[in-house]
Amino acid sequence: MTLSGTSDTAMVIATVGYLVAFSLHSLEWSAARGLAGARPADGSEDAPRLRVDLFGRLAIALTAVTLIVHVVAVVLRGVAADRAPWGNMYEFITSSLAFAVIVYLLAVWKLGARWLGLGVTLLGTVGLGLAVTVFYVDVAPLVPALHSVWFIVHIVAAAIAGAAFNVAAVAAILYLLKDRAEASGAPARGYLARLPEARRLDLFSYRLHAFAFPLWTFTIAAGAIWAQYAWGRFWNWDPKETWSFVTWVIYAAYLHARATAGWKGRPAAWIALVGVVSFWFNFIGVNLLFSGFHSYAGI
């Protein structure tokens, strides 16, 4: 089997791995149904809690193993192509999702944020599933416009920023669910009881956005420098350039909303979700619906 074929096989295995991890997290959430937030004094919920922890730990272990397979697939793709593996939409999506899982596992290691697992593994499953079935393209050399160090800098920054934006979006969704439960006044049960307080979820999401936004700003700036190198102009309102700027404006609005008393909390979280939709439309919808200087990316 060729290196390219091995990479393709490893990517399919990674897709299945994230799917199984997602299933384990689903069982974790399901097993937590009905459990109270505090452990009863008589220990009556010990067995269900042990099942919840078992499913969660298995999901984390499988996600870590799957990430190794995923990264190997990305690296082999680059070796097979004899270049950085970011020359088309398939390669960007697979690389960006690898960064997202890395961010998630770091959050689990440093913060015990296993509660992100269901959303992140779902993202990995759907994203890689679409990459290997819809957006796949054979290994090919880079077009001349991409032969620049600024291309690598631009794409790496975009992938890392995108990873943080996506994990932050998962946290924003969980914040909305937890905030609704807390607003109801009823004691939280099931998996919602195992989530951090809504305030902490909101803060976690904000910090990831605050980390990603400067990187996204740098992505746009590096892209402008690369455009000057490749096409002789810094900015030409190409569809992808335009939508990158739209995404930047949305995330700038989110950070402003978080700093404004009347827009903190739920309104800011909804803006964050609009931002992640805009991010993915920029990297998928724009390629499929519009033509421009970035049309080399193909599907």
Side-chain angles (χ1 to χ4, degrees):
M1 184 181 291
T2 64
L3 285 177
S4 176
T6 303
S7 172
D8 296 344
T9 301
M11 201 66 76
V12 172
I13 293 173
T15 306
V16 175
Y18 289 133
L19 176 60
V20 177
F22 169 73
S23 299
L24 287 169
H25 277 301
S26 297
L27 290 172
E28 179 189 14
W29 280 58
S30 178
R33 185 178 302 169
L35 294 182
R39 185 187 299 272
D42 61 4
S44 59
E45 291 185 353
D46 283 351
R49 287 177 187 274
L50 286 175
R51 285 198 298 272
V52 170
D53 288 337
L54 175 62
F55 288 135
R57 290 177 184 276
L58 286 174
I60 292 295
L62 181 58
T63 301
V65 172
T66 301
L67 174 63
I68 295 173
V69 177
H70 186 172
V71 171
V72 167
V74 171
V75 172
L76 288 179
R77 175 82 176 193
V79 174
D82 195 27
R83 57 173 173 76
W86 305 305
N88 49 62
M89 196 158 65
Y90 166 80
E91 294 173 356
F92 175 83
I93 290 174
T94 55
S95 298
S96 184
L97 289 172
F99 281 117
V101 178
I102 290 170
V103 170
Y104 159 61
L105 290 178
L106 286 174
V108 171
W109 178 41
K110 291 291 188 180
L111 305 172
R114 197 173 76 196
W115 36 268
L116 286 167
L118 188 71
V120 173
T121 53
L122 176 61
L123 177 68
T125 301
V126 174
L128 283 192
L130 288 173
V132 300
T133 57
V134 178
F135 303 125
Y136 179 81
V137 293
D138 291 327
V139 170
L142 292 177
V143 299
L146 302 186
H147 288 283
S148 167
V149 67
W150 285 104
F151 160 67
I152 297 176
V153 171
H154 171 69
I155 296 299
V156 170
I160 296 174
F165 282 144
N166 278 273
V167 176
V170 172
I173 292 171
L174 293 176
Y175 160 75
L176 290 170
L177 294 174
K178 184 71 172 186
D179 184 64
R180 181 178 179 181
E182 290 180 356
S184 69
R189 298 186 67 84
Y191 206 83
L192 286 179
R194 300 174 66 84
L195 292 176
E197 297 176 346
R199 176 184 57 81
R200 288 181 57 197
L201 288 169
D202 182 42
L203 182 61
F204 178 84
S205 179
Y206 166 70
R207 286 175 173 171
L208 276 178
H209 280 103
F211 164 78
F213 183 73
L215 271 177
W216 188 247
T217 303
F218 176 76
T219 296
I220 294 175
I225 296 172
W226 168 34
Q228 171 64 24
Y229 170 87
W231 301 306
R233 88 290 182 277
F234 288 101
W235 195 268
N236 199 42
W237 295 106
D238 176 78
K240 190 167 288 282
E241 293 172 347
T242 302
W243 210 269
S244 295
F245 179 68
V246 169
T247 303
W248 184 91
V249 170
I250 293 171
Y251 280 120
Y254 165 80
L255 293 176
H256 177 72
R258 280 292 277 102
T260 305
W263 281 82
K264 284 184 178 179
R266 295 179 69 84
W270 282 111
I271 295 174
L273 297 183
V274 172
V276 81
V277 170
S278 176
F279 172 87
W280 281 112
F281 180 79
N282 182 35
F283 283 101
I284 296 178
V286 169
N287 281 8
L288 298 179
L289 300 176
F290 304 103
S291 62
F293 284 106
H294 290 77
S295 296
Y296 58 79
I299 63 168

